[in-house]
Amino acid sequence: MQLRYRFRLYPNAVQQAALARAFGCARVVFNDAVRAREDARAAGQPFPTAADLSKKLVTQAKITPERSWLGEVSAVVLQQSLRDAERAYRNFFASLGGTRRGPRLGAPRFKSRKDHRQSIRFTANARWNITGSGRLNLPKIGAVKVRWSRALPATPSSVTVVKDAAGRFFASFVIDTDPAADAARMPETETTIGIDLGLTHFAVLSDGTKIDSPRFLRRAEKKLKKAQRELSRKQKGSKNRAEARLKVARAHAKVADARREFHHQLSTKLISENQGIAVEDLAVKALARTRLAKSVHDAGWAQFINMLIYKAERYGRTLITIGRFEPTSQVCSICGTKDGPKPLNVRGWTCAACDTRHDRDTNAALNIRQAAGLAVSACGAPVSPEPVLAQREETGSHGLPTRHRAA
Ligand SMILES: [Zn+2]
């Protein structure tokens, strides 16, 4: 399995200028490739091959006066940019032909200097390296300072340098995971858990734990709101407004980082402690809601569940999403009696049949675990039969639990 590790970079002024040049060259080569394909299409000719484009747009272009500056950046960066254009077209045609999952893709667009995200990629043959003092040494850019927030578990196969909308630089390394080391890090366990994505909490677990976003995230969110309010008060086109906008972009980035960190910590903990994890399918969850009941956590849940999915695959855990609309807050998790709908302000209730006192959210999490077939009876045998294996893309359409698990 391949994973990305991202670290903040602090290039100095000279390195920033070199990076800007490299982003620019990569963009020009990408756009030249898009133009070459568009021209071929307009002329009714076959698309130029990758080798043709490389020769024409990189090797030969460098010796022309209009493109001589391409020689100032690493050739690998330019080749990778051509690859990106190629892949963008491949994805576009696959999307047209219906062989690619997800939303329909548009035709590749020209890149602009004004794009919020600029990036270049160095593969192993670009001769980049990490110096003894921990700097990232990039060809024709120099040894850039890195903030290593965690250790790289293996030697990366490539590095992408990104500049985001807030003007920050990052290095994103691709690492192949080591299955033996992963198994040693998270040995098998017997425990299973159900997760209810609640309205009052970020998540409630079937063991009764209630999880809220941490204080560092709430603080970042507050700062973002304040920056947004300030921005809305600034006059359009003024210098103050431009400054306020950058402030909002920075606050936005901080919130996204803090949220990602929270999701990483929580998903790793849940995967580490449980062999089986059950969670509601988000599409179904949204259906069961009124507009009024839309939760502030809605956006974050998708990222969190995606982390659970890839970590379950990486560490050999079973993740089951419940794709059927279950009235999880209306059914007693002990005796199965359906008690009927309750308004959102009813946080607890007592089952009329078995007299069990329920916390609304914990009871829902218990029902989710039960529906996934992960609940275990007193004698240790599973209560319900094994769920049917299903493909991920079918989630929510067939009403059966979906199992995400390493092959
Ligand atoms: Zn009951």
Side-chain angles (χ1 to χ4, degrees), residues 188-204:
E188 275 200 35
T189 109
E190 299 277 290
T191 329
T192 62
I193 204 137
I195 307 170
D196 179 55
L197 302 168
L199 288 165
T200 48
H201 301 271
F202 177 78
V204 175

mmCIF file of all heavy atoms in Angstrom, residues 188-204:
data_model
loop_
_atom_site.group_PDB
_atom_site.id
_atom_site.type_symbol
_atom_site.label_atom_id
_atom_site.label_comp_id
_atom_site.label_asym_id
_atom_site.label_seq_id
_atom_site.Cartn_x
_atom_site.Cartn_y
_atom_site.Cartn_z
ATOM 1 N N GLU A 188 -3.563 -8.520 16.094
ATOM 2 C CA GLU A 188 -5.004 -8.795 16.086
ATOM 3 C C GLU A 188 -5.592 -8.666 17.483
ATOM 4 O O GLU A 188 -4.945 -8.964 18.468
ATOM 5 C CB GLU A 188 -5.262 -10.209 15.555
ATOM 6 C CG GLU A 188 -5.332 -10.249 14.050
ATOM 7 C CD GLU A 188 -6.049 -11.495 13.533
ATOM 8 O OE1 GLU A 188 -7.001 -11.952 14.205
ATOM 9 O OE2 GLU A 188 -5.625 -11.987 12.481
ATOM 10 N N THR A 189 -6.844 -8.239 17.548
ATOM 11 C CA THR A 189 -7.523 -8.157 18.836
ATOM 12 C C THR A 189 -8.913 -8.778 18.672
ATOM 13 O O THR A 189 -9.329 -9.112 17.574
ATOM 14 C CB THR A 189 -7.663 -6.696 19.350
ATOM 15 O OG1 THR A 189 -9.027 -6.328 19.269
ATOM 16 C CG2 THR A 189 -6.853 -5.729 18.538
ATOM 17 N N GLU A 190 -9.629 -8.930 19.782
ATOM 18 C CA GLU A 190 -10.960 -9.549 19.757
ATOM 19 C C GLU A 190 -12.071 -8.496 19.761
ATOM 20 O O GLU A 190 -13.216 -8.803 19.487
ATOM 21 C CB GLU A 190 -11.142 -10.424 21.003
ATOM 22 C CG GLU A 190 -10.161 -11.556 21.118
ATOM 23 C CD GLU A 190 -10.614 -12.751 20.300
ATOM 24 O OE1 GLU A 190 -11.617 -13.386 20.690
ATOM 25 O OE2 GLU A 190 -9.980 -13.037 19.267
ATOM 26 N N THR A 191 -11.708 -7.274 20.120
ATOM 27 C CA THR A 191 -12.708 -6.238 20.370
ATOM 28 C C THR A 191 -13.372 -5.713 19.093
ATOM 29 O O THR A 191 -12.727 -5.601 18.062
ATOM 30 C CB THR A 191 -12.048 -5.045 21.094
ATOM 31 O OG1 THR A 191 -10.996 -5.550 21.886
ATOM 32 C CG2 THR A 191 -13.025 -4.286 21.938
ATOM 33 N N THR A 192 -14.671 -5.430 19.175
ATOM 34 C CA THR A 192 -15.379 -4.785 18.063
ATOM 35 C C THR A 192 -16.104 -3.560 18.598
ATOM 36 O O THR A 192 -16.371 -3.471 19.798
ATOM 37 C CB THR A 192 -16.422 -5.724 17.431
ATOM 38 O OG1 THR A 192 -17.391 -6.059 18.423
ATOM 39 C CG2 THR A 192 -15.788 -6.986 16.883
ATOM 40 N N ILE A 193 -16.413 -2.638 17.705
ATOM 41 C CA ILE A 193 -17.065 -1.413 18.162
ATOM 42 C C ILE A 193 -18.021 -0.855 17.097
ATOM 43 O O ILE A 193 -17.793 -1.045 15.898
ATOM 44 C CB ILE A 193 -16.007 -0.356 18.581
ATOM 45 C CG1 ILE A 193 -16.615 0.636 19.573
ATOM 46 C CG2 ILE A 193 -15.415 0.368 17.381
ATOM 47 C CD1 ILE A 193 -15.709 0.948 20.703
ATOM 48 N N GLY A 194 -19.101 -0.205 17.550
ATOM 49 C CA GLY A 194 -20.004 0.503 16.644
ATOM 50 C C GLY A 194 -19.845 1.997 16.869
ATOM 51 O O GLY A 194 -19.622 2.431 18.001
ATOM 52 N N ILE A 195 -19.904 2.782 15.791
ATOM 53 C CA ILE A 195 -19.738 4.234 15.898
ATOM 54 C C ILE A 195 -20.995 4.933 15.395
ATOM 55 O O ILE A 195 -21.419 4.707 14.270
ATOM 56 C CB ILE A 195 -18.534 4.732 15.069
ATOM 57 C CG1 ILE A 195 -17.267 3.947 15.424
ATOM 58 C CG2 ILE A 195 -18.320 6.230 15.270
ATOM 59 C CD1 ILE A 195 -16.109 4.226 14.489
ATOM 60 N N ASP A 196 -21.584 5.766 16.244
ATOM 61 C CA ASP A 196 -22.707 6.599 15.805
ATOM 62 C C ASP A 196 -22.178 8.000 15.589
ATOM 63 O O ASP A 196 -21.566 8.588 16.475
ATOM 64 C CB ASP A 196 -23.820 6.609 16.869
ATOM 65 C CG ASP A 196 -24.992 7.485 16.429
ATOM 66 O OD1 ASP A 196 -25.524 7.249 15.331
ATOM 67 O OD2 ASP A 196 -25.364 8.399 17.181
ATOM 68 N N LEU A 197 -22.385 8.531 14.381
ATOM 69 C CA LEU A 197 -21.950 9.895 14.080
ATOM 70 C C LEU A 197 -23.081 10.811 14.525
ATOM 71 O O LEU A 197 -24.083 10.962 13.830
ATOM 72 C CB LEU A 197 -21.644 10.030 12.590
ATOM 73 C CG LEU A 197 -20.568 9.035 12.118
ATOM 74 C CD1 LEU A 197 -20.493 8.999 10.611
ATOM 75 C CD2 LEU A 197 -19.212 9.363 12.714
ATOM 76 N N GLY A 198 -22.941 11.338 15.707
ATOM 77 C CA GLY A 198 -24.068 12.013 16.361
ATOM 78 C C GLY A 198 -24.216 13.465 15.997
ATOM 79 O O GLY A 198 -23.417 14.046 15.276
ATOM 80 N N LEU A 199 -25.290 14.055 16.485
ATOM 81 C CA LEU A 199 -25.532 15.479 16.255
ATOM 82 C C LEU A 199 -24.937 16.313 17.380
ATOM 83 O O LEU A 199 -24.500 17.423 17.186
ATOM 84 C CB LEU A 199 -27.033 15.740 16.179
ATOM 85 C CG LEU A 199 -27.679 15.213 14.905
ATOM 86 C CD1 LEU A 199 -29.186 15.183 15.054
ATOM 87 C CD2 LEU A 199 -27.285 16.061 13.726
ATOM 88 N N THR A 200 -24.926 15.727 18.558
ATOM 89 C CA THR A 200 -24.445 16.482 19.713
ATOM 90 C C THR A 200 -22.949 16.254 19.947
ATOM 91 O O THR A 200 -22.305 17.050 20.606
ATOM 92 C CB THR A 200 -25.218 16.083 20.977
ATOM 93 O OG1 THR A 200 -25.240 14.654 21.038
ATOM 94 C CG2 THR A 200 -26.633 16.613 20.931
ATOM 95 N N HIS A 201 -22.428 15.150 19.399
ATOM 96 C CA HIS A 201 -21.000 14.857 19.544
ATOM 97 C C HIS A 201 -20.450 14.490 18.174
ATOM 98 O O HIS A 201 -21.196 14.107 17.287
ATOM 99 C CB HIS A 201 -20.779 13.674 20.493
ATOM 100 C CG HIS A 201 -21.335 13.911 21.857
ATOM 101 N ND1 HIS A 201 -20.616 14.493 22.869
ATOM 102 C CD2 HIS A 201 -22.566 13.660 22.360
ATOM 103 C CE1 HIS A 201 -21.370 14.598 23.941
ATOM 104 N NE2 HIS A 201 -22.570 14.094 23.666
ATOM 105 N N PHE A 202 -19.120 14.555 18.027
ATOM 106 C CA PHE A 202 -18.532 14.133 16.755
ATOM 107 C C PHE A 202 -18.824 12.651 16.527
ATOM 108 O O PHE A 202 -19.227 12.245 15.451
ATOM 109 C CB PHE A 202 -17.014 14.380 16.751
ATOM 110 C CG PHE A 202 -16.360 13.888 15.488
ATOM 111 C CD1 PHE A 202 -16.453 14.636 14.322
ATOM 112 C CD2 PHE A 202 -15.684 12.681 15.453
ATOM 113 C CE1 PHE A 202 -15.871 14.185 13.139
ATOM 114 C CE2 PHE A 202 -15.108 12.225 14.277
ATOM 115 C CZ PHE A 202 -15.201 12.976 13.122
ATOM 116 N N ALA A 203 -18.656 11.856 17.558
ATOM 117 C CA ALA A 203 -18.943 10.429 17.448
ATOM 118 C C ALA A 203 -19.261 9.873 18.825
ATOM 119 O O ALA A 203 -18.754 10.358 19.834
ATOM 120 C CB ALA A 203 -17.744 9.691 16.857
ATOM 121 N N VAL A 204 -20.141 8.849 18.860
ATOM 122 C CA VAL A 204 -20.440 8.146 20.101
ATOM 123 C C VAL A 204 -20.174 6.669 19.840
ATOM 124 O O VAL A 204 -20.596 6.118 18.819
ATOM 125 C CB VAL A 204 -21.899 8.382 20.541
ATOM 126 C CG1 VAL A 204 -22.225 7.544 21.773
ATOM 127 C CG2 VAL A 204 -22.139 9.856 20.824
#
